[in-house]
Amino acid sequence: MENKSCHVIVLTYPAQGHINPLLQFAKLLASRGLKTTFATTYYTVNSIDAPNVHVEPISDGFDEGGFKQASSVEAYLESFKAVGSRTLAQLINKFDASDSPVRCIVYDSLLPWALEVAKEFGIYAATFLTNSASLCSLYWHIVNGLFTLPVNPEIESLSLPGLPVLAFHELPSFLAYPTSHSAYLAVVMEKFYRLTENDWVFCNSFEELESELVKAMKGLWPVKMIGPMVPSAYLDQQIEGDTAYGANLWEPTTDQCLKWLETKPSGSVLYVSFGSMASVSDEQVQEIAWGLKASNRPFMWVLKGSENKLPGEFMDSIGETGLVVTWCNQLQVLAHKAVGCFVTHCGWNSILEALSLGVPMVCVAQGTDQPTNAKFVEDIWKVGVRAKRNEEGILTRKELYGCIRQVMEGESSRQVRGNTNKWTELAKKAVSRGGSSDRNISEFLAKVMERNK
Ligand code: UDX
């Protein structure tokens, strides 16, 4: 039964890697009896299909095509701030005049202006970090003076509390190359300067996964781990029928993928995907193609918008061994028993999904948070290997083939599989009743529910 008087708005940044975890959180709140409204932009609102969650559009000022219509990242973020604040306030006013006034906004940390809106209305504000806590702690350390930008590329390594020693190439590109990401970096830094102004700071991770950091940051920052935000069916949880996030910005080729996977032996398939945003050069696509071919294993490859970069000779040679699609239901693919390895760009959601579903990884990090995530995959959680690029920045077919062998064959394969299974169990435990993430969510729910407006 929905508690109409306890109403939470969950506000997302309109990218697949942000919508998925925030929508999952909205579904979880709804399953615990809160009235939950998921707010996203006009051009993404129709892609949301989540029973029990109300969906409302807000405007970023580019209602037809969003980001692509803007002249620059700066222009987009500026517009979202101005128009988004206004339309979010209108939405809250509309609800306040109804029988379900809003008590709390849970907002994507890329939209820090939502904090002002929450303050204006005197309601709770919770920000939601979509990266790992370790990654986020780097920004926090900058704000607190533990290191300064720009980082000198000549430094051997960076040693910070609760983190492994990081080499320059293991830093997120926002920090390694701040001038190329200045608009996003400004937004990211703003949220860390204002972290303690929020009533809650949630992170899509779980305490056991980042235990060293949790220990080092205890009492220093207010971050609460509430993840992994992966649909409940995959973590043996109880939201009925919850087998998908409930949002697809592109049409998935689910039937085709599942039918193809059914024809492959258990644990044999390489699943290859670089997420929703990464763009891969023609040369790189070719090297990956021939590396997959050399591995002599079945592969399913999501090549968003780059299918035509594949050499004809390669396509002619793969027959039933390979399937190339433009988008799939990644969770269903990772959960399929035929999949034995995930060749991934190391987006944070992809990593949490692979850990939750017990699939070891070959890491082909591109930019943003991915090089740091890949470091953890290989060195800390030991659930995969990192593919190295050559001096021209290319991952060669030989290197890819070698990494695939390490994950798929022999003692190294047994080890990464054993470790992956361990993390799967810990992820399930964290979100089960009384687990570390569940406790943090329950505390939030209790406080929001008790508030008298
Ligand atoms: C980016 C960043 O890389 C990520 O770390 C950050 O936290 C959010 O923004 P993205 O590059 O899209 O995200 O990668 P990822 O975080 O892995 O998210 C992609 C999502 O799309 C995953 O939830 C994945 O399941 C889904 N997906 C991907 C599909 O459903 N189908 C596909 O074919 C590919």
PDB file of all heavy atoms in Angstrom, residues 392-425:
ATOM      1  N   GLU A 392      50.598   4.013 -28.802  1.00  0.00           N
ATOM      2  CA  GLU A 392      49.644   4.838 -29.576  1.00  0.00           C
ATOM      3  C   GLU A 392      48.262   4.844 -28.915  1.00  0.00           C
ATOM      4  O   GLU A 392      47.300   5.357 -29.492  1.00  0.00           O
ATOM      5  CB  GLU A 392      49.494   4.313 -31.009  1.00  0.00           C
ATOM      6  CG  GLU A 392      50.652   4.633 -31.950  1.00  0.00           C
ATOM      7  CD  GLU A 392      51.799   3.651 -31.791  1.00  0.00           C
ATOM      8  OE1 GLU A 392      51.540   2.437 -31.810  1.00  0.00           O
ATOM      9  OE2 GLU A 392      52.944   4.116 -31.604  1.00  0.00           O
ATOM     10  N   GLY A 393      48.158   4.234 -27.752  1.00  0.00           N
ATOM     11  CA  GLY A 393      46.875   4.222 -27.045  1.00  0.00           C
ATOM     12  C   GLY A 393      45.921   3.165 -27.561  1.00  0.00           C
ATOM     13  O   GLY A 393      44.715   3.220 -27.278  1.00  0.00           O
ATOM     14  N   ILE A 394      46.448   2.192 -28.278  1.00  0.00           N
ATOM     15  CA  ILE A 394      45.586   1.151 -28.857  1.00  0.00           C
ATOM     16  C   ILE A 394      45.736  -0.147 -28.072  1.00  0.00           C
ATOM     17  O   ILE A 394      46.847  -0.537 -27.690  1.00  0.00           O
ATOM     18  CB  ILE A 394      45.952   0.912 -30.346  1.00  0.00           C
ATOM     19  CG1 ILE A 394      45.632   2.155 -31.190  1.00  0.00           C
ATOM     20  CG2 ILE A 394      45.270  -0.327 -30.921  1.00  0.00           C
ATOM     21  CD1 ILE A 394      44.147   2.409 -31.410  1.00  0.00           C
ATOM     22  N   LEU A 395      44.628  -0.790 -27.825  1.00  0.00           N
ATOM     23  CA  LEU A 395      44.648  -2.133 -27.270  1.00  0.00           C
ATOM     24  C   LEU A 395      44.803  -3.090 -28.448  1.00  0.00           C
ATOM     25  O   LEU A 395      43.931  -3.148 -29.322  1.00  0.00           O
ATOM     26  CB  LEU A 395      43.320  -2.385 -26.537  1.00  0.00           C
ATOM     27  CG  LEU A 395      42.905  -3.827 -26.305  1.00  0.00           C
ATOM     28  CD1 LEU A 395      43.875  -4.523 -25.368  1.00  0.00           C
ATOM     29  CD2 LEU A 395      41.503  -3.875 -25.736  1.00  0.00           C
ATOM     30  N   THR A 396      45.906  -3.792 -28.511  1.00  0.00           N
ATOM     31  CA  THR A 396      46.148  -4.641 -29.686  1.00  0.00           C
ATOM     32  C   THR A 396      45.405  -5.966 -29.559  1.00  0.00           C
ATOM     33  O   THR A 396      45.043  -6.391 -28.460  1.00  0.00           O
ATOM     34  CB  THR A 396      47.648  -4.960 -29.846  1.00  0.00           C
ATOM     35  OG1 THR A 396      48.053  -5.706 -28.691  1.00  0.00           O
ATOM     36  CG2 THR A 396      48.485  -3.696 -29.968  1.00  0.00           C
ATOM     37  N   ARG A 397      45.213  -6.621 -30.705  1.00  0.00           N
ATOM     38  CA  ARG A 397      44.520  -7.909 -30.726  1.00  0.00           C
ATOM     39  C   ARG A 397      45.250  -8.937 -29.843  1.00  0.00           C
ATOM     40  O   ARG A 397      44.633  -9.727 -29.161  1.00  0.00           O
ATOM     41  CB  ARG A 397      44.378  -8.417 -32.177  1.00  0.00           C
ATOM     42  CG  ARG A 397      45.679  -8.592 -32.908  1.00  0.00           C
ATOM     43  CD  ARG A 397      45.471  -8.818 -34.395  1.00  0.00           C
ATOM     44  NE  ARG A 397      45.177  -7.552 -35.078  1.00  0.00           N
ATOM     45  CZ  ARG A 397      44.912  -7.467 -36.381  1.00  0.00           C
ATOM     46  NH1 ARG A 397      44.875  -8.560 -37.140  1.00  0.00           N
ATOM     47  NH2 ARG A 397      44.667  -6.303 -36.938  1.00  0.00           N
ATOM     48  N   LYS A 398      46.594  -8.848 -29.871  1.00  0.00           N
ATOM     49  CA  LYS A 398      47.392  -9.808 -29.110  1.00  0.00           C
ATOM     50  C   LYS A 398      47.164  -9.626 -27.599  1.00  0.00           C
ATOM     51  O   LYS A 398      46.998 -10.589 -26.858  1.00  0.00           O
ATOM     52  CB  LYS A 398      48.873  -9.585 -29.467  1.00  0.00           C
ATOM     53  CG  LYS A 398      49.796 -10.595 -28.922  1.00  0.00           C
ATOM     54  CD  LYS A 398      51.118 -10.597 -29.690  1.00  0.00           C
ATOM     55  CE  LYS A 398      52.110 -11.461 -28.943  1.00  0.00           C
ATOM     56  NZ  LYS A 398      53.222 -10.734 -28.393  1.00  0.00           N
ATOM     57  N   GLU A 399      47.161  -8.362 -27.186  1.00  0.00           N
ATOM     58  CA  GLU A 399      46.956  -8.067 -25.763  1.00  0.00           C
ATOM     59  C   GLU A 399      45.550  -8.538 -25.326  1.00  0.00           C
ATOM     60  O   GLU A 399      45.389  -9.153 -24.272  1.00  0.00           O
ATOM     61  CB  GLU A 399      47.120  -6.555 -25.536  1.00  0.00           C
ATOM     62  CG  GLU A 399      46.703  -6.029 -24.182  1.00  0.00           C
ATOM     63  CD  GLU A 399      47.639  -6.436 -23.044  1.00  0.00           C
ATOM     64  OE1 GLU A 399      48.708  -7.014 -23.326  1.00  0.00           O
ATOM     65  OE2 GLU A 399      47.263  -6.200 -21.875  1.00  0.00           O
ATOM     66  N   LEU A 400      44.555  -8.245 -26.154  1.00  0.00           N
ATOM     67  CA  LEU A 400      43.192  -8.649 -25.801  1.00  0.00           C
ATOM     68  C   LEU A 400      43.102 -10.170 -25.694  1.00  0.00           C
ATOM     69  O   LEU A 400      42.555 -10.714 -24.726  1.00  0.00           O
ATOM     70  CB  LEU A 400      42.191  -8.123 -26.844  1.00  0.00           C
ATOM     71  CG  LEU A 400      40.736  -8.530 -26.609  1.00  0.00           C
ATOM     72  CD1 LEU A 400      40.218  -8.039 -25.257  1.00  0.00           C
ATOM     73  CD2 LEU A 400      39.827  -7.997 -27.729  1.00  0.00           C
ATOM     74  N   TYR A 401      43.643 -10.837 -26.671  1.00  0.00           N
ATOM     75  CA  TYR A 401      43.627 -12.302 -26.689  1.00  0.00           C
ATOM     76  C   TYR A 401      44.305 -12.862 -25.425  1.00  0.00           C
ATOM     77  O   TYR A 401      43.788 -13.776 -24.760  1.00  0.00           O
ATOM     78  CB  TYR A 401      44.320 -12.767 -27.974  1.00  0.00           C
ATOM     79  CG  TYR A 401      44.625 -14.236 -28.050  1.00  0.00           C
ATOM     80  CD1 TYR A 401      43.622 -15.185 -27.828  1.00  0.00           C
ATOM     81  CD2 TYR A 401      45.903 -14.678 -28.365  1.00  0.00           C
ATOM     82  CE1 TYR A 401      43.910 -16.541 -27.904  1.00  0.00           C
ATOM     83  CE2 TYR A 401      46.191 -16.037 -28.443  1.00  0.00           C
ATOM     84  CZ  TYR A 401      45.191 -16.958 -28.198  1.00  0.00           C
ATOM     85  OH  TYR A 401      45.459 -18.288 -28.271  1.00  0.00           O
ATOM     86  N   GLY A 402      45.445 -12.263 -25.053  1.00  0.00           N
ATOM     87  CA  GLY A 402      46.168 -12.714 -23.850  1.00  0.00           C
ATOM     88  C   GLY A 402      45.314 -12.531 -22.591  1.00  0.00           C
ATOM     89  O   GLY A 402      45.273 -13.411 -21.726  1.00  0.00           O
ATOM     90  N   CYS A 403      44.627 -11.401 -22.490  1.00  0.00           N
ATOM     91  CA  CYS A 403      43.787 -11.134 -21.311  1.00  0.00           C
ATOM     92  C   CYS A 403      42.620 -12.115 -21.251  1.00  0.00           C
ATOM     93  O   CYS A 403      42.258 -12.606 -20.177  1.00  0.00           O
ATOM     94  CB  CYS A 403      43.247  -9.702 -21.352  1.00  0.00           C
ATOM     95  SG  CYS A 403      44.515  -8.475 -21.086  1.00  0.00           S
ATOM     96  N   ILE A 404      42.039 -12.379 -22.409  1.00  0.00           N
ATOM     97  CA  ILE A 404      40.908 -13.314 -22.446  1.00  0.00           C
ATOM     98  C   ILE A 404      41.371 -14.692 -21.953  1.00  0.00           C
ATOM     99  O   ILE A 404      40.687 -15.349 -21.163  1.00  0.00           O
ATOM    100  CB  ILE A 404      40.315 -13.399 -23.882  1.00  0.00           C
ATOM    101  CG1 ILE A 404      39.597 -12.085 -24.220  1.00  0.00           C
ATOM    102  CG2 ILE A 404      39.369 -14.589 -24.014  1.00  0.00           C
ATOM    103  CD1 ILE A 404      39.175 -11.953 -25.669  1.00  0.00           C
ATOM    104  N   ARG A 405      42.538 -15.093 -22.385  1.00  0.00           N
ATOM    105  CA  ARG A 405      43.060 -16.408 -21.944  1.00  0.00           C
ATOM    106  C   ARG A 405      43.215 -16.444 -20.421  1.00  0.00           C
ATOM    107  O   ARG A 405      42.866 -17.422 -19.778  1.00  0.00           O
ATOM    108  CB  ARG A 405      44.403 -16.692 -22.605  1.00  0.00           C
ATOM    109  CG  ARG A 405      44.240 -17.099 -24.050  1.00  0.00           C
ATOM    110  CD  ARG A 405      45.510 -17.638 -24.619  1.00  0.00           C
ATOM    111  NE  ARG A 405      45.904 -18.876 -23.953  1.00  0.00           N
ATOM    112  CZ  ARG A 405      46.949 -19.598 -24.312  1.00  0.00           C
ATOM    113  NH1 ARG A 405      47.714 -19.200 -25.308  1.00  0.00           N
ATOM    114  NH2 ARG A 405      47.264 -20.698 -23.674  1.00  0.00           N
ATOM    115  N   GLN A 406      43.726 -15.345 -19.859  1.00  0.00           N
ATOM    116  CA  GLN A 406      43.925 -15.330 -18.398  1.00  0.00           C
ATOM    117  C   GLN A 406      42.610 -15.504 -17.638  1.00  0.00           C
ATOM    118  O   GLN A 406      42.570 -16.125 -16.591  1.00  0.00           O
ATOM    119  CB  GLN A 406      44.541 -13.997 -17.968  1.00  0.00           C
ATOM    120  CG  GLN A 406      46.029 -13.896 -18.221  1.00  0.00           C
ATOM    121  CD  GLN A 406      46.539 -12.605 -17.601  1.00  0.00           C
ATOM    122  OE1 GLN A 406      46.446 -12.380 -16.399  1.00  0.00           O
ATOM    123  NE2 GLN A 406      47.075 -11.740 -18.424  1.00  0.00           N
ATOM    124  N   VAL A 407      41.547 -14.896 -18.188  1.00  0.00           N
ATOM    125  CA  VAL A 407      40.262 -14.973 -17.488  1.00  0.00           C
ATOM    126  C   VAL A 407      39.541 -16.289 -17.784  1.00  0.00           C
ATOM    127  O   VAL A 407      38.770 -16.790 -16.957  1.00  0.00           O
ATOM    128  CB  VAL A 407      39.384 -13.745 -17.855  1.00  0.00           C
ATOM    129  CG1 VAL A 407      37.968 -13.889 -17.332  1.00  0.00           C
ATOM    130  CG2 VAL A 407      40.004 -12.471 -17.309  1.00  0.00           C
ATOM    131  N   MET A 408      39.823 -16.874 -18.919  1.00  0.00           N
ATOM    132  CA  MET A 408      39.059 -18.059 -19.348  1.00  0.00           C
ATOM    133  C   MET A 408      39.784 -19.384 -19.135  1.00  0.00           C
ATOM    134  O   MET A 408      39.170 -20.442 -19.253  1.00  0.00           O
ATOM    135  CB  MET A 408      38.683 -17.933 -20.831  1.00  0.00           C
ATOM    136  CG  MET A 408      37.737 -16.800 -21.161  1.00  0.00           C
ATOM    137  SD  MET A 408      36.120 -16.952 -20.360  1.00  0.00           S
ATOM    138  CE  MET A 408      35.279 -18.098 -21.456  1.00  0.00           C
ATOM    139  N   GLU A 409      41.100 -19.346 -18.898  1.00  0.00           N
ATOM    140  CA  GLU A 409      41.835 -20.622 -18.877  1.00  0.00           C
ATOM    141  C   GLU A 409      42.721 -20.760 -17.648  1.00  0.00           C
ATOM    142  O   GLU A 409      43.301 -19.788 -17.177  1.00  0.00           O
ATOM    143  CB  GLU A 409      42.751 -20.720 -20.116  1.00  0.00           C
ATOM    144  CG  GLU A 409      41.997 -20.839 -21.419  1.00  0.00           C
ATOM    145  CD  GLU A 409      42.922 -20.740 -22.634  1.00  0.00           C
ATOM    146  OE1 GLU A 409      44.133 -20.980 -22.492  1.00  0.00           O
ATOM    147  OE2 GLU A 409      42.403 -20.400 -23.711  1.00  0.00           O
ATOM    148  N   GLY A 410      42.859 -22.001 -17.189  1.00  0.00           N
ATOM    149  CA  GLY A 410      43.884 -22.360 -16.203  1.00  0.00           C
ATOM    150  C   GLY A 410      43.665 -21.820 -14.803  1.00  0.00           C
ATOM    151  O   GLY A 410      42.560 -21.424 -14.424  1.00  0.00           O
ATOM    152  N   GLU A 411      44.750 -21.764 -14.053  1.00  0.00           N
ATOM    153  CA  GLU A 411      44.707 -21.388 -12.639  1.00  0.00           C
ATOM    154  C   GLU A 411      44.233 -19.942 -12.448  1.00  0.00           C
ATOM    155  O   GLU A 411      43.451 -19.648 -11.549  1.00  0.00           O
ATOM    156  CB  GLU A 411      46.125 -21.587 -12.043  1.00  0.00           C
ATOM    157  CG  GLU A 411      46.248 -21.333 -10.559  1.00  0.00           C
ATOM    158  CD  GLU A 411      45.197 -22.047  -9.726  1.00  0.00           C
ATOM    159  OE1 GLU A 411      44.724 -23.138 -10.103  1.00  0.00           O
ATOM    160  OE2 GLU A 411      44.825 -21.465  -8.678  1.00  0.00           O
ATOM    161  N   SER A 412      44.726 -19.027 -13.356  1.00  0.00           N
ATOM    162  CA  SER A 412      44.303 -17.619 -13.193  1.00  0.00           C
ATOM    163  C   SER A 412      42.782 -17.514 -13.337  1.00  0.00           C
ATOM    164  O   SER A 412      42.124 -16.752 -12.627  1.00  0.00           O
ATOM    165  CB  SER A 412      44.998 -16.726 -14.225  1.00  0.00           C
ATOM    166  OG  SER A 412      44.811 -17.239 -15.532  1.00  0.00           O
ATOM    167  N   SER A 413      42.201 -18.314 -14.220  1.00  0.00           N
ATOM    168  CA  SER A 413      40.754 -18.295 -14.415  1.00  0.00           C
ATOM    169  C   SER A 413      40.050 -18.799 -13.153  1.00  0.00           C
ATOM    170  O   SER A 413      39.073 -18.201 -12.692  1.00  0.00           O
ATOM    171  CB  SER A 413      40.386 -19.170 -15.624  1.00  0.00           C
ATOM    172  OG  SER A 413      39.003 -19.308 -15.717  1.00  0.00           O
ATOM    173  N   ARG A 414      40.559 -19.881 -12.604  1.00  0.00           N
ATOM    174  CA  ARG A 414      39.932 -20.427 -11.375  1.00  0.00           C
ATOM    175  C   ARG A 414      39.966 -19.376 -10.265  1.00  0.00           C
ATOM    176  O   ARG A 414      39.010 -19.197  -9.527  1.00  0.00           O
ATOM    177  CB  ARG A 414      40.664 -21.698 -10.936  1.00  0.00           C
ATOM    178  CG  ARG A 414      40.018 -22.966 -11.524  1.00  0.00           C
ATOM    179  CD  ARG A 414      40.606 -24.225 -10.917  1.00  0.00           C
ATOM    180  NE  ARG A 414      42.004 -24.406 -11.262  1.00  0.00           N
ATOM    181  CZ  ARG A 414      42.432 -24.847 -12.465  1.00  0.00           C
ATOM    182  NH1 ARG A 414      41.571 -25.160 -13.405  1.00  0.00           N
ATOM    183  NH2 ARG A 414      43.723 -24.975 -12.709  1.00  0.00           N
ATOM    184  N   GLN A 415      41.079 -18.659 -10.179  1.00  0.00           N
ATOM    185  CA  GLN A 415      41.190 -17.670  -9.096  1.00  0.00           C
ATOM    186  C   GLN A 415      40.201 -16.517  -9.271  1.00  0.00           C
ATOM    187  O   GLN A 415      39.487 -16.160  -8.345  1.00  0.00           O
ATOM    188  CB  GLN A 415      42.615 -17.134  -9.044  1.00  0.00           C
ATOM    189  CG  GLN A 415      43.514 -18.096  -8.312  1.00  0.00           C
ATOM    190  CD  GLN A 415      44.947 -17.585  -8.233  1.00  0.00           C
ATOM    191  OE1 GLN A 415      45.238 -16.442  -8.551  1.00  0.00           O
ATOM    192  NE2 GLN A 415      45.844 -18.459  -7.817  1.00  0.00           N
ATOM    193  N   VAL A 416      40.160 -15.943 -10.491  1.00  0.00           N
ATOM    194  CA  VAL A 416      39.229 -14.790 -10.646  1.00  0.00           C
ATOM    195  C   VAL A 416      37.780 -15.244 -10.486  1.00  0.00           C
ATOM    196  O   VAL A 416      36.955 -14.505  -9.955  1.00  0.00           O
ATOM    197  CB  VAL A 416      39.378 -14.013 -11.985  1.00  0.00           C
ATOM    198  CG1 VAL A 416      40.633 -13.188 -12.033  1.00  0.00           C
ATOM    199  CG2 VAL A 416      39.216 -14.855 -13.199  1.00  0.00           C
ATOM    200  N   ARG A 417      37.473 -16.457 -10.904  1.00  0.00           N
ATOM    201  CA  ARG A 417      36.101 -16.951 -10.738  1.00  0.00           C
ATOM    202  C   ARG A 417      35.756 -17.144  -9.264  1.00  0.00           C
ATOM    203  O   ARG A 417      34.665 -16.771  -8.811  1.00  0.00           O
ATOM    204  CB  ARG A 417      35.919 -18.277 -11.484  1.00  0.00           C
ATOM    205  CG  ARG A 417      35.432 -18.043 -12.875  1.00  0.00           C
ATOM    206  CD  ARG A 417      35.526 -19.192 -13.825  1.00  0.00           C
ATOM    207  NE  ARG A 417      36.020 -18.654 -15.071  1.00  0.00           N
ATOM    208  CZ  ARG A 417      35.287 -17.909 -15.886  1.00  0.00           C
ATOM    209  NH1 ARG A 417      34.027 -17.656 -15.607  1.00  0.00           N
ATOM    210  NH2 ARG A 417      35.807 -17.392 -16.981  1.00  0.00           N
ATOM    211  N   GLY A 418      36.706 -17.697  -8.523  1.00  0.00           N
ATOM    212  CA  GLY A 418      36.484 -17.884  -7.081  1.00  0.00           C
ATOM    213  C   GLY A 418      36.258 -16.534  -6.402  1.00  0.00           C
ATOM    214  O   GLY A 418      35.327 -16.364  -5.616  1.00  0.00           O
ATOM    215  N   ASN A 419      37.091 -15.558  -6.758  1.00  0.00           N
ATOM    216  CA  ASN A 419      36.937 -14.226  -6.142  1.00  0.00           C
ATOM    217  C   ASN A 419      35.607 -13.586  -6.544  1.00  0.00           C
ATOM    218  O   ASN A 419      34.935 -12.967  -5.722  1.00  0.00           O
ATOM    219  CB  ASN A 419      38.078 -13.305  -6.584  1.00  0.00           C
ATOM    220  CG  ASN A 419      39.401 -13.754  -6.028  1.00  0.00           C
ATOM    221  OD1 ASN A 419      39.456 -14.412  -4.990  1.00  0.00           O
ATOM    222  ND2 ASN A 419      40.489 -13.425  -6.719  1.00  0.00           N
ATOM    223  N   THR A 420      35.247 -13.727  -7.809  1.00  0.00           N
ATOM    224  CA  THR A 420      33.992 -13.112  -8.272  1.00  0.00           C
ATOM    225  C   THR A 420      32.814 -13.695  -7.493  1.00  0.00           C
ATOM    226  O   THR A 420      31.932 -12.949  -7.032  1.00  0.00           O
ATOM    227  CB  THR A 420      33.806 -13.339  -9.788  1.00  0.00           C
ATOM    228  OG1 THR A 420      35.005 -12.980 -10.452  1.00  0.00           O
ATOM    229  CG2 THR A 420      32.686 -12.486 -10.341  1.00  0.00           C
ATOM    230  N   ASN A 421      32.825 -15.002  -7.305  1.00  0.00           N
ATOM    231  CA  ASN A 421      31.710 -15.629  -6.568  1.00  0.00           C
ATOM    232  C   ASN A 421      31.636 -15.112  -5.137  1.00  0.00           C
ATOM    233  O   ASN A 421      30.549 -14.920  -4.586  1.00  0.00           O
ATOM    234  CB  ASN A 421      31.861 -17.155  -6.562  1.00  0.00           C
ATOM    235  CG  ASN A 421      31.645 -17.703  -7.968  1.00  0.00           C
ATOM    236  OD1 ASN A 421      31.024 -17.049  -8.807  1.00  0.00           O
ATOM    237  ND2 ASN A 421      32.186 -18.887  -8.246  1.00  0.00           N
ATOM    238  N   LYS A 422      32.800 -14.855  -4.565  1.00  0.00           N
ATOM    239  CA  LYS A 422      32.817 -14.331  -3.192  1.00  0.00           C
ATOM    240  C   LYS A 422      32.116 -12.969  -3.141  1.00  0.00           C
ATOM    241  O   LYS A 422      31.281 -12.706  -2.284  1.00  0.00           O
ATOM    242  CB  LYS A 422      34.278 -14.202  -2.741  1.00  0.00           C
ATOM    243  CG  LYS A 422      34.442 -13.755  -1.312  1.00  0.00           C
ATOM    244  CD  LYS A 422      35.889 -13.483  -0.981  1.00  0.00           C
ATOM    245  CE  LYS A 422      36.225 -12.018  -1.229  1.00  0.00           C
ATOM    246  NZ  LYS A 422      37.592 -11.634  -0.992  1.00  0.00           N
ATOM    247  N   TRP A 423      32.432 -12.104  -4.143  1.00  0.00           N
ATOM    248  CA  TRP A 423      31.816 -10.764  -4.146  1.00  0.00           C
ATOM    249  C   TRP A 423      30.325 -10.838  -4.435  1.00  0.00           C
ATOM    250  O   TRP A 423      29.541 -10.031  -3.927  1.00  0.00           O
ATOM    251  CB  TRP A 423      32.524  -9.840  -5.149  1.00  0.00           C
ATOM    252  CG  TRP A 423      33.893  -9.470  -4.674  1.00  0.00           C
ATOM    253  CD1 TRP A 423      35.080  -9.804  -5.244  1.00  0.00           C
ATOM    254  CD2 TRP A 423      34.223  -8.718  -3.498  1.00  0.00           C
ATOM    255  NE1 TRP A 423      36.135  -9.323  -4.512  1.00  0.00           N
ATOM    256  CE2 TRP A 423      35.630  -8.646  -3.433  1.00  0.00           C
ATOM    257  CE3 TRP A 423      33.465  -8.117  -2.494  1.00  0.00           C
ATOM    258  CZ2 TRP A 423      36.300  -7.984  -2.406  1.00  0.00           C
ATOM    259  CZ3 TRP A 423      34.130  -7.449  -1.469  1.00  0.00           C
ATOM    260  CH2 TRP A 423      35.518  -7.389  -1.434  1.00  0.00           C
ATOM    261  N   THR A 424      29.930 -11.819  -5.233  1.00  0.00           N
ATOM    262  CA  THR A 424      28.488 -11.975  -5.512  1.00  0.00           C
ATOM    263  C   THR A 424      27.750 -12.249  -4.199  1.00  0.00           C
ATOM    264  O   THR A 424      26.710 -11.633  -3.915  1.00  0.00           O
ATOM    265  CB  THR A 424      28.262 -13.146  -6.490  1.00  0.00           C
ATOM    266  OG1 THR A 424      29.036 -12.915  -7.654  1.00  0.00           O
ATOM    267  CG2 THR A 424      26.793 -13.288  -6.864  1.00  0.00           C
ATOM    268  N   GLU A 425      28.310 -13.146  -3.398  1.00  0.00           N
ATOM    269  CA  GLU A 425      27.655 -13.470  -2.120  1.00  0.00           C
ATOM    270  C   GLU A 425      27.614 -12.246  -1.213  1.00  0.00           C
ATOM    271  O   GLU A 425      26.609 -11.968  -0.565  1.00  0.00           O
ATOM    272  CB  GLU A 425      28.393 -14.620  -1.406  1.00  0.00           C
ATOM    273  CG  GLU A 425      28.194 -15.967  -2.079  1.00  0.00           C
ATOM    274  CD  GLU A 425      26.733 -16.205  -2.473  1.00  0.00           C
ATOM    275  OE1 GLU A 425      25.853 -16.052  -1.611  1.00  0.00           O
ATOM    276  OE2 GLU A 425      26.479 -16.516  -3.666  1.00  0.00           O
TER     277      GLU A 425
END
